[in-house]
Amino acid sequence: NTNDKSTKVIITIPNLTESDINHYLKNEFNNLSNIDFIDGSTITNTIVLKVNDKTFNKKHVENMLSRWGLESESYAFENMLSSSDIE
């Protein structure tokens, strides 16, 4: 199931601004069916996405960020399923 978005991705972007979040990233990620934009914060310099880890393409996200002059510092992946749900 390609819409099984059970992985949370927290991306740290040092030069993140409110305008990046509100004008670019939210719209850009909402256009993608395999990624949900959850949150963005300039306090923690992070954006939070909900993705399907089988279809998640880090390179695609990197290219998208660089289009807006942004560069990621780190990615943290968090599975939102309990361990009993994992095959």
Side-chain angles (χ1 to χ4, degrees), residues 4-11 38 47-53 56 75-82 86:
D4 180 24
K5 299 180 192 114
S6 59
T7 302
K8 196 192 290 185
V9 182
I10 302 152
I11 307 172
I38 305 301
I47 57 171
V48 180
L49 308 173
K50 208 159 77 170
V51 305
N52 177 334
D53 63 351
F56 179 71
Y75 281 71
F77 294 85
E78 203 177 288
N79 197 305
M80 299 184 312
L81 297 174
S82 72
I86 297 169

Side-chain angles (χ1 to χ4, degrees), residues 12-24:
T12 303
I13 304 166
N15 58 340
L16 193 64
T17 67
E18 281 297 331
S19 116
D20 292 328
I21 295 167
N22 295 321
H23 298 129
Y24 309 123

Side-chain angles (χ1 to χ4, degrees), residues 66-78:
S66 71
R67 197 176 333 156
W68 306 119
L70 300 170
E71 208 174 294
S72 65
E73 186 175 86
S74 66
Y75 281 71
F77 294 85
E78 203 177 288

